Amino acid sequence: VTALLESGGRLIDTAYMYGNEAAVGRAIRDSDVPREEIFVITKIYPGEQFHNPEKAIQDALDKLDIGYIDMMLLHHPGDNDVNAYLAMEKFVEAGKIRSLGLSNWYIEEIDDFIEQVNIKPALVQNEIHPYYQEQEVVPYMHDLGIVMQAWYPLGHADKGLLEEPLFTRLAAKYGKSNVQIILRWHIQAGNVVIPGSKNPAHIHDNFDVFD
């Protein structure tokens, strides 16, 4: 997280299931970057958290300890997901969460879900990459005014994807890496990308895609 912030990154995606909300919050508090410049997404998970959403949301606020959460998502559809989302809406009203979204929601779920909530999801986070482009889902969500965010934007570290000959040719043409070509493809397709990395050099390179 520190390497991300030092490289100019301002979007951080975490979740209860990742077990790192406290570490994310600590890195943000220790940073010189003003809090209002950083956008933090976290998620609550089906099961116990959906059935006691107020506690789950407060736990996330307490672990992060950064004043407010910029966006909270439901991590997957599941029992009591509508009520969990309605609980998140109450925290929006209280100023503790700024915006809401969903993760792993598709066409068959989204219409029914939207009819039951008051705040339309601002974002849907799904698996999207060049080998899994979601060519029906992405435009459908865009037509609803929902931003699409790609988790696993580089696939599952699939060497076939990362070494795809087309990307290798483009990387040579533009003086970039195959990873940078894929990230730029996402951006031009209108996907918000959240590539994960523990390597500071890779984190830096992930932002060098705008020239």
Side-chain angles (χ1 to χ4, degrees):
V1 174
T2 299
L4 175 95
L5 294 171
E6 290 176 349
S7 295
R10 296 294 182 265
L11 170 62
I12 301 165
D13 176 80
T14 183
Y16 164 76
M17 286 300 289
Y18 303 163
N20 64 358
E21 288 172 313
V24 167
R26 185 171 68 250
I28 290 171
R29 292 193 305 275
D30 289 347
S31 167
D32 293 331
V33 179
R35 169 67 184 94
E36 60 272 15
E37 292 184 13
I38 302 171
F39 195 94
V40 178
I41 300 174
T42 194
K43 315 173 193 75
I44 61 173
Y45 201 78
E48 181 181 347
Q49 289 209 308
F50 279 15
H51 288 281
N52 192 352
E54 290 83 4
K55 179 180 184 301
I57 296 163
Q58 189 59 53
D59 284 349
L61 284 161
D62 293 343
K63 287 179 187 174
L64 284 163
D65 191 20
I66 51 176
Y68 59 90
I69 292 168
D70 296 276
M71 175 174 279
M72 181 169 274
L73 314 180
L74 300 182
H75 208 142
H76 291 275
D79 290 343
N80 215 47
D81 52 14
V82 171
N83 286 336
Y85 192 93
L86 294 174
M88 295 196 306
E89 291 185 345
K90 294 178 182 176
F91 280 78
V92 172
E93 293 169 6
K96 297 296 183 67
I97 301 174
R98 298 290 176 88
S99 53
L100 302 178
L102 305 168
S103 183
N104 301 296
W105 247 260
Y106 295 89
I107 293 171
E108 56 269 25
E109 296 105 357
I110 193 69
D111 290 330
D112 179 61
F113 187 87
I114 286 177
E115 290 178 357
Q116 301 179 72
V117 300
N118 304 303
I119 300 174
K120 185 173 74 173
L123 176 144
V124 169
Q125 184 187 102
N126 285 352
E127 179 177 1
I128 307 171
H129 51 76
Y131 283 0
Y132 196 77
Q133 296 189 22
E134 293 288 15
Q135 291 182 345
E136 294 181 358
V137 176
V138 171
Y140 192 88
M141 297 296 183
H142 284 171
D143 286 345
L144 292 173
I146 296 173
V147 172
M148 289 302 297
Q149 187 172 58
W151 61 258
Y152 278 153
L154 304 172
H156 300 249
D158 179 352
K159 289 193 75 174
L161 174 63
L162 298 182
E163 296 176 4
E164 167 65 45
L166 172 62
F167 304 143
T168 301
R169 291 199 302 272
L170 290 170
K173 177 179 178 180
Y174 292 108
K176 295 292 180 180
S177 69
N178 290 32
V179 165
Q180 289 170 316
I181 294 293
I182 295 170
L183 294 176
R184 180 62 180 248
W185 171 83
H186 276 287
I187 292 164
Q188 291 184 195
N191 303 326
V192 177
V193 286
I194 45 172
S197 178
K198 298 175 183 175
N199 182 318
H202 291 169
I203 290 169
H204 178 270
D205 289 347
N206 288 342
F207 291 98
D208 187 19
V209 294
F210 297 104
D211 56 349

mmCIF file of all heavy atoms in Angstrom, residues 1 14-16 18-30 40 42 59-66:
data_model
loop_
_atom_site.group_PDB
_atom_site.id
_atom_site.type_symbol
_atom_site.label_atom_id
_atom_site.label_comp_id
_atom_site.label_asym_id
_atom_site.label_seq_id
_atom_site.Cartn_x
_atom_site.Cartn_y
_atom_site.Cartn_z
ATOM 1 N N VAL A 1 0.838 -1.197 0.000
ATOM 2 C CA VAL A 1 0.000 0.000 0.000
ATOM 3 C C VAL A 1 0.875 1.249 0.000
ATOM 4 O O VAL A 1 0.601 2.219 -0.710
ATOM 5 C CB VAL A 1 -0.968 0.000 1.204
ATOM 6 C CG1 VAL A 1 -1.741 1.310 1.272
ATOM 7 C CG2 VAL A 1 -1.937 -1.161 1.101
ATOM 8 N N THR A 14 -9.801 -3.561 -0.965
ATOM 9 C CA THR A 14 -9.607 -4.551 0.077
ATOM 10 C C THR A 14 -10.953 -5.217 0.361
ATOM 11 O O THR A 14 -11.930 -5.005 -0.350
ATOM 12 C CB THR A 14 -8.973 -3.920 1.340
ATOM 13 O OG1 THR A 14 -8.738 -4.947 2.303
ATOM 14 C CG2 THR A 14 -9.861 -2.852 1.949
ATOM 15 N N ALA A 15 -10.993 -6.070 1.389
ATOM 16 C CA ALA A 15 -12.225 -6.777 1.729
ATOM 17 C C ALA A 15 -12.034 -7.489 3.062
ATOM 18 O O ALA A 15 -10.911 -7.807 3.463
ATOM 19 C CB ALA A 15 -12.580 -7.815 0.653
ATOM 20 N N TYR A 16 -13.143 -7.760 3.715
ATOM 21 C CA TYR A 16 -13.096 -8.558 4.936
ATOM 22 C C TYR A 16 -12.364 -9.868 4.694
ATOM 23 O O TYR A 16 -11.518 -10.285 5.491
ATOM 24 C CB TYR A 16 -14.526 -8.835 5.416
ATOM 25 C CG TYR A 16 -14.634 -9.949 6.427
ATOM 26 C CD1 TYR A 16 -14.255 -9.743 7.755
ATOM 27 C CD2 TYR A 16 -15.103 -11.212 6.061
ATOM 28 C CE1 TYR A 16 -14.343 -10.765 8.689
ATOM 29 C CE2 TYR A 16 -15.197 -12.240 6.988
ATOM 30 C CZ TYR A 16 -14.815 -12.018 8.291
ATOM 31 O OH TYR A 16 -14.892 -13.030 9.213
ATOM 32 N N TYR A 18 -10.041 -10.648 2.720
ATOM 33 C CA TYR A 18 -8.601 -10.571 2.460
ATOM 34 C C TYR A 18 -7.796 -10.512 3.760
ATOM 35 O O TYR A 18 -6.576 -10.701 3.740
ATOM 36 C CB TYR A 18 -8.256 -9.345 1.609
ATOM 37 C CG TYR A 18 -8.976 -9.259 0.291
ATOM 38 C CD1 TYR A 18 -9.033 -8.062 -0.408
ATOM 39 C CD2 TYR A 18 -9.617 -10.361 -0.262
ATOM 40 C CE1 TYR A 18 -9.698 -7.962 -1.623
ATOM 41 C CE2 TYR A 18 -10.291 -10.272 -1.472
ATOM 42 C CZ TYR A 18 -10.334 -9.067 -2.143
ATOM 43 O OH TYR A 18 -11.000 -8.970 -3.333
ATOM 44 N N GLY A 19 -8.468 -10.186 4.860
ATOM 45 C CA GLY A 19 -7.790 -10.160 6.150
ATOM 46 C C GLY A 19 -6.753 -9.065 6.296
ATOM 47 O O GLY A 19 -5.849 -9.184 7.130
ATOM 48 N N ASN A 20 -6.858 -7.994 5.499
ATOM 49 C CA ASN A 20 -5.809 -6.969 5.548
ATOM 50 C C ASN A 20 -6.346 -5.547 5.717
ATOM 51 O O ASN A 20 -5.626 -4.579 5.481
ATOM 52 C CB ASN A 20 -4.933 -7.041 4.289
ATOM 53 C CG ASN A 20 -5.712 -6.731 3.016
ATOM 54 O OD1 ASN A 20 -6.913 -6.501 3.038
ATOM 55 N ND2 ASN A 20 -5.020 -6.733 1.882
ATOM 56 N N GLU A 21 -7.596 -5.410 6.137
ATOM 57 C CA GLU A 21 -8.160 -4.059 6.290
ATOM 58 C C GLU A 21 -7.357 -3.230 7.294
ATOM 59 O O GLU A 21 -7.114 -2.035 7.061
ATOM 60 C CB GLU A 21 -9.632 -4.146 6.702
ATOM 61 C CG GLU A 21 -10.560 -4.607 5.590
ATOM 62 C CD GLU A 21 -11.971 -4.877 6.071
ATOM 63 O OE1 GLU A 21 -12.130 -5.557 7.104
ATOM 64 O OE2 GLU A 21 -12.928 -4.411 5.425
ATOM 65 N N ALA A 22 -6.935 -3.837 8.392
ATOM 66 C CA ALA A 22 -6.178 -3.086 9.398
ATOM 67 C C ALA A 22 -4.846 -2.606 8.834
ATOM 68 O O ALA A 22 -4.421 -1.463 9.088
ATOM 69 C CB ALA A 22 -5.956 -3.941 10.639
ATOM 70 N N ALA A 23 -4.178 -3.451 8.045
ATOM 71 C CA ALA A 23 -2.894 -3.067 7.451
ATOM 72 C C ALA A 23 -3.081 -1.952 6.430
ATOM 73 O O ALA A 23 -2.271 -1.015 6.352
ATOM 74 C CB ALA A 23 -2.238 -4.282 6.796
ATOM 75 N N VAL A 24 -4.145 -2.046 5.641
ATOM 76 C CA VAL A 24 -4.442 -0.976 4.672
ATOM 77 C C VAL A 24 -4.648 0.345 5.403
ATOM 78 O O VAL A 24 -4.087 1.382 5.030
ATOM 79 C CB VAL A 24 -5.684 -1.342 3.837
ATOM 80 C CG1 VAL A 24 -6.198 -0.125 3.058
ATOM 81 C CG2 VAL A 24 -5.369 -2.482 2.873
ATOM 82 N N GLY A 25 -5.447 0.310 6.456
ATOM 83 C CA GLY A 25 -5.706 1.537 7.210
ATOM 84 C C GLY A 25 -4.450 2.117 7.821
ATOM 85 O O GLY A 25 -4.233 3.335 7.800
ATOM 86 N N ARG A 26 -3.594 1.237 8.345
ATOM 87 C CA ARG A 26 -2.352 1.721 8.969
ATOM 88 C C ARG A 26 -1.458 2.414 7.947
ATOM 89 O O ARG A 26 -0.882 3.483 8.220
ATOM 90 C CB ARG A 26 -1.614 0.547 9.618
ATOM 91 C CG ARG A 26 -0.378 0.956 10.396
ATOM 92 C CD ARG A 26 0.196 -0.201 11.204
ATOM 93 N NE ARG A 26 0.761 -1.244 10.351
ATOM 94 C CZ ARG A 26 0.234 -2.460 10.194
ATOM 95 N NH1 ARG A 26 -0.902 -2.788 10.808
ATOM 96 N NH2 ARG A 26 0.825 -3.350 9.420
ATOM 97 N N ALA A 27 -1.343 1.818 6.750
ATOM 98 C CA ALA A 27 -0.505 2.422 5.707
ATOM 99 C C ALA A 27 -1.052 3.775 5.279
ATOM 100 O O ALA A 27 -0.286 4.719 5.024
ATOM 101 C CB ALA A 27 -0.409 1.491 4.507
ATOM 102 N N ILE A 28 -2.370 3.905 5.214
ATOM 103 C CA ILE A 28 -2.978 5.185 4.847
ATOM 104 C C ILE A 28 -2.714 6.224 5.927
ATOM 105 O O ILE A 28 -2.340 7.365 5.634
ATOM 106 C CB ILE A 28 -4.487 5.002 4.598
ATOM 107 C CG1 ILE A 28 -4.709 4.190 3.314
ATOM 108 C CG2 ILE A 28 -5.199 6.360 4.509
ATOM 109 C CD1 ILE A 28 -6.151 3.763 3.100
ATOM 110 N N ARG A 29 -2.885 5.836 7.176
ATOM 111 C CA ARG A 29 -2.660 6.790 8.275
ATOM 112 C C ARG A 29 -1.203 7.213 8.349
ATOM 113 O O ARG A 29 -0.890 8.357 8.725
ATOM 114 C CB ARG A 29 -3.108 6.174 9.617
ATOM 115 C CG ARG A 29 -4.602 5.965 9.725
ATOM 116 C CD ARG A 29 -5.018 5.659 11.167
ATOM 117 N NE ARG A 29 -4.304 4.522 11.741
ATOM 118 C CZ ARG A 29 -4.662 3.253 11.596
ATOM 119 N NH1 ARG A 29 -5.721 2.937 10.862
ATOM 120 N NH2 ARG A 29 -3.949 2.278 12.168
ATOM 121 N N ASP A 30 -0.280 6.301 8.010
ATOM 122 C CA ASP A 30 1.146 6.615 8.070
ATOM 123 C C ASP A 30 1.636 7.407 6.858
ATOM 124 O O ASP A 30 2.767 7.893 6.843
ATOM 125 C CB ASP A 30 1.962 5.319 8.168
ATOM 126 C CG ASP A 30 1.812 4.645 9.525
ATOM 127 O OD1 ASP A 30 1.294 5.284 10.459
ATOM 128 O OD2 ASP A 30 2.200 3.457 9.644
ATOM 129 N N VAL A 40 -10.843 4.232 -1.024
ATOM 130 C CA VAL A 40 -10.741 2.888 -0.458
ATOM 131 C C VAL A 40 -12.050 2.136 -0.680
ATOM 132 O O VAL A 40 -13.128 2.618 -0.303
ATOM 133 C CB VAL A 40 -10.424 2.943 1.047
ATOM 134 C CG1 VAL A 40 -10.379 1.537 1.647
ATOM 135 C CG2 VAL A 40 -9.106 3.668 1.279
ATOM 136 N N THR A 42 -13.912 -1.503 0.183
ATOM 137 C CA THR A 42 -13.897 -2.758 0.925
ATOM 138 C C THR A 42 -15.223 -3.468 0.709
ATOM 139 O O THR A 42 -16.135 -2.937 0.066
ATOM 140 C CB THR A 42 -13.562 -2.558 2.409
ATOM 141 O OG1 THR A 42 -13.251 -3.831 2.994
ATOM 142 C CG2 THR A 42 -14.703 -1.905 3.167
ATOM 143 N N ASP A 59 -17.389 -3.194 11.873
ATOM 144 C CA ASP A 59 -16.073 -3.849 12.003
ATOM 145 C C ASP A 59 -15.102 -3.337 10.944
ATOM 146 O O ASP A 59 -13.918 -3.105 11.224
ATOM 147 C CB ASP A 59 -16.227 -5.366 11.867
ATOM 148 C CG ASP A 59 -16.809 -6.013 13.115
ATOM 149 O OD1 ASP A 59 -16.911 -5.333 14.156
ATOM 150 O OD2 ASP A 59 -17.157 -7.215 13.042
ATOM 151 N N ALA A 60 -15.592 -3.165 9.705
ATOM 152 C CA ALA A 60 -14.733 -2.656 8.635
ATOM 153 C C ALA A 60 -14.281 -1.232 8.937
ATOM 154 O O ALA A 60 -13.103 -0.889 8.750
ATOM 155 C CB ALA A 60 -15.466 -2.712 7.296
ATOM 156 N N LEU A 61 -15.192 -0.405 9.405
ATOM 157 C CA LEU A 61 -14.835 0.968 9.768
ATOM 158 C C LEU A 61 -13.783 0.985 10.876
ATOM 159 O O LEU A 61 -12.825 1.761 10.833
ATOM 160 C CB LEU A 61 -16.087 1.729 10.214
ATOM 161 C CG LEU A 61 -17.039 2.177 9.107
ATOM 162 C CD1 LEU A 61 -18.418 2.480 9.669
ATOM 163 C CD2 LEU A 61 -16.485 3.417 8.396
ATOM 164 N N ASP A 62 -13.960 0.102 11.857
ATOM 165 C CA ASP A 62 -13.030 0.065 12.990
ATOM 166 C C ASP A 62 -11.653 -0.437 12.560
ATOM 167 O O ASP A 62 -10.626 0.108 12.996
ATOM 168 C CB ASP A 62 -13.592 -0.817 14.101
ATOM 169 C CG ASP A 62 -14.842 -0.220 14.750
ATOM 170 O OD1 ASP A 62 -15.088 0.987 14.574
ATOM 171 O OD2 ASP A 62 -15.567 -0.982 15.417
ATOM 172 N N LYS A 63 -11.615 -1.476 11.736
ATOM 173 C CA LYS A 63 -10.329 -2.029 11.296
ATOM 174 C C LYS A 63 -9.567 -1.031 10.434
ATOM 175 O O LYS A 63 -8.355 -0.844 10.588
ATOM 176 C CB LYS A 63 -10.552 -3.330 10.527
ATOM 177 C CG LYS A 63 -10.951 -4.512 11.374
ATOM 178 C CD LYS A 63 -11.170 -5.732 10.486
ATOM 179 C CE LYS A 63 -11.740 -6.893 11.265
ATOM 180 N NZ LYS A 63 -12.089 -8.021 10.368
ATOM 181 N N LEU A 64 -10.256 -0.395 9.503
ATOM 182 C CA LEU A 64 -9.591 0.565 8.621
ATOM 183 C C LEU A 64 -9.171 1.809 9.396
ATOM 184 O O LEU A 64 -8.072 2.334 9.205
ATOM 185 C CB LEU A 64 -10.514 0.951 7.463
ATOM 186 C CG LEU A 64 -10.661 -0.104 6.366
ATOM 187 C CD1 LEU A 64 -11.897 0.184 5.501
ATOM 188 C CD2 LEU A 64 -9.414 -0.147 5.474
ATOM 189 N N ASP A 65 -10.081 2.317 10.237
ATOM 190 C CA ASP A 65 -9.790 3.479 11.095
ATOM 191 C C ASP A 65 -9.272 4.662 10.275
ATOM 192 O O ASP A 65 -8.252 5.267 10.594
ATOM 193 C CB ASP A 65 -8.784 3.089 12.182
ATOM 194 C CG ASP A 65 -8.638 4.157 13.260
ATOM 195 O OD1 ASP A 65 -9.557 4.992 13.390
ATOM 196 O OD2 ASP A 65 -7.611 4.156 13.965
ATOM 197 N N ILE A 66 -9.998 4.974 9.202
ATOM 198 C CA ILE A 66 -9.612 6.091 8.337
ATOM 199 C C ILE A 66 -10.756 7.107 8.198
ATOM 200 O O ILE A 66 -10.804 7.883 7.258
ATOM 201 C CB ILE A 66 -9.164 5.600 6.938
ATOM 202 C CG1 ILE A 66 -10.209 4.665 6.321
ATOM 203 C CG2 ILE A 66 -7.807 4.908 7.036
ATOM 204 C CD1 ILE A 66 -9.905 4.217 4.906
#
